[in-house]
Amino acid sequence: MRDVYHEELDALTDRLVEMTRLVRSAISRATTALLDSDLQLAESVISHDEEVDRIFAEIEASIFDLMARQQPVAVDLRMIIVALRMGTDLERMGDLAEHVAKVARLRHPDSAIPPEIRSTILEMGQIAERLITKTGSCIASRDVESALELEADDDAMDKLHRRLFKILMDEDWKYGVEPAIDVTLIGRYYERYADHAVRVAQDVVYLVTGSRTQDLDTL
């Protein structure tokens, strides 16, 4: 029975890693749809978000079942609590990729991204992909060192987010209010996507060490 129990715990990890793959694909395709005004691709991102939601629902159901049957303690309980938090963050990342795709759909056949900002949005999308790729690897390997690196990696996203606001506030901005709102929202979606990736990585650290990253900084 204990072997089955630990197989079920391992299955939670597998599902979480699968979620990282799905939300990585979603943000990649959403970025392409946004920059290329690709309506079909945007619709694909939007419709496939249901798969992320389905896996998260499976994770929730498994967690509630395990808690009812096994009454986990110590590390096992920490794993279950962390899995629920990770799943919540990953589900939200899928939603944020969907939001990006919806902006692309809303402005089709035009582009929501002015030419001067395209390179910044492209870079934000690339950073988002790198962050979630590393996050998935951290979940699978429980690599604390790599997980701790994500906060530094997130600094690059924050820098790009600030760059967007600087461009929007410049007196040379010539695209009006509606594109400014679109860019503001899109920048926020990418910035929040990265924040959720960092939170998942922090949970990996907590799972392995029993301490939060800020606690480790004082050791």
Side-chain angles (χ1 to χ4, degrees):
M1 289 296 293
R2 300 301 295 180
D3 288 343
V4 172
Y5 169 48
H6 284 100
E7 286 174 5
E8 290 174 322
L9 289 176
D10 290 341
L12 287 177
T13 298
D14 293 341
R15 288 193 181 104
L16 289 167
V17 172
E18 185 178 358
M19 286 185 77
T20 68
R21 295 191 186 111
L22 291 172
V23 300
R24 180 184 65 216
S25 174
I27 199 65
S28 174
R29 290 181 294 123
T31 302
T32 300
L34 185 67
L35 294 174
D36 295 349
S37 301
D38 189 326
L39 180 60
Q40 184 175 358
L41 192 57
E43 294 285 9
S44 172
V45 174
I46 294 164
S47 64
H48 280 82
D49 186 55
E50 293 181 0
E51 188 173 0
V52 176
D53 296 341
R54 176 186 60 78
I55 295 174
F56 180 50
E58 291 176 356
I59 289 172
E60 281 189 309
S62 295
I63 286 171
F64 296 147
D65 180 63
L66 283 167
M67 292 188 75
R69 288 188 295 106
Q70 302 291 346
Q71 298 181 343
V73 296
V75 176
D76 290 347
L77 179 59
R78 197 156 70 221
M79 172 63 201
I80 287 175
I81 292 170
V82 162
L84 184 58
R85 281 203 304 246
M86 287 180 178
T88 300
D89 280 311
L90 292 167
E91 190 272 337
R92 183 59 183 147
M93 292 170 77
D95 289 344
L96 290 164
E98 181 186 17
H99 293 339
V100 173
K102 284 182 175 179
V103 175
R105 181 176 68 177
L106 179 65
R107 300 306 173 201
H108 183 269
D110 298 322
S111 174
I113 307 301
E116 294 90 335
I117 296 178
R118 288 181 62 85
S119 62
T120 301
I121 296 299
L122 176 61
E123 192 173 352
M124 291 180 90
Q126 291 170 340
I127 291 172
E129 286 187 63
R130 289 201 298 270
L131 281 166
I132 189 57
T133 298
K134 184 176 279 189
T135 299
S137 177
C138 290
I139 293 172
S141 65
R142 300 189 182 183
D143 185 337
V144 170
E145 185 175 346
S146 293
L148 290 170
E149 291 172 0
L150 260 81
E151 290 194 48
D153 294 338
D154 181 49
D155 290 343
M157 182 70 85
D158 292 337
K159 183 177 179 180
L160 291 173
H161 192 218
R162 290 192 296 271
R163 182 195 298 175
L164 281 183
F165 276 105
K166 188 173 182 180
I167 294 171
L168 291 172
M169 297 301 293
D170 194 288
E171 61 182 14
D172 293 332
W173 178 260
K174 59 186 179 182
Y175 299 100
V177 174
E178 191 172 83
I181 293 172
D182 286 343
V183 171
T184 299
L185 289 173
I186 289 164
R188 180 61 172 164
Y189 297 151
Y190 282 108
E191 189 263 343
R192 288 299 298 150
Y193 185 99
D195 286 346
H196 283 290
V198 171
R199 284 177 54 174
V200 173
Q202 289 172 340
D203 277 334
V204 172
V205 175
Y206 174 66
L207 172 62
V208 175
T209 68
S211 299
R212 291 293 175 188
T213 54
Q214 58 266 35
D215 298 329
L216 294 178
D217 290 339
T218 64
L219 295 179

